[in-house]
Amino acid sequence: TINITLSKLNTDDHTCMFLIAFYGADNRLIYINSKPATISEELDEVEIDITEDVSSAYKVKAFVWKDLSSIQPICEALEENIIAE
């Protein structure tokens, strides 16, 4: 499970799509998952389940988009390098 914490929101529309993506050493996507959620003043974190083995991942990115059709970000994307186990 990955927790995404919201910051610098940029929307009046409170429905959004959270995405988490893992990349290998060659920057190829190895896993992605998404979850719809509703933003409110009380919501500051969303959990996304990881259902695949991502132990070979070198980088993880998290995105919050208005929806999958527009691919319009509503806050800054997060990117972290991780150590493969």
Side-chain angles (χ1 to χ4, degrees):
T1 299
I2 295 286
N3 293 328
I4 298 175
T5 302
L6 302 177
S7 65
K8 300 181 183 178
L9 294 180
N10 182 21
T11 186
D12 292 330
D13 187 351
H14 289 25
T15 301
C16 61
M17 183 65 69
F18 292 81
L19 295 100
I20 189 80
F22 290 87
Y23 298 85
D26 57 0
N27 277 329
R28 285 190 177 189
L29 180 67
I30 60 173
Y31 178 78
I32 190 166
N33 200 1
S34 62
K35 179 179 182 177
T38 301
I39 298 172
S40 69
E41 289 185 16
E42 293 81 32
L43 175 70
D44 65 355
E45 190 171 272
V46 171
E47 289 185 6
I48 298 179
D49 291 329
I50 307 303
T51 58
E52 300 284 328
D53 177 14
V54 294
S55 61
S56 63
Y58 279 74
K59 180 174 25 179
V60 62
K61 291 184 182 181
F63 306 91
V64 184
W65 292 342
K66 183 175 178 180
D67 55 47
L68 291 178
S69 300
S70 68
I71 313 175
Q72 178 183 351
I74 60 171
C75 70
E76 294 179 17
L78 304 171
E79 181 175 332
E80 292 290 328
N81 291 325
I82 54 178
I83 299 172
E85 295 181 7

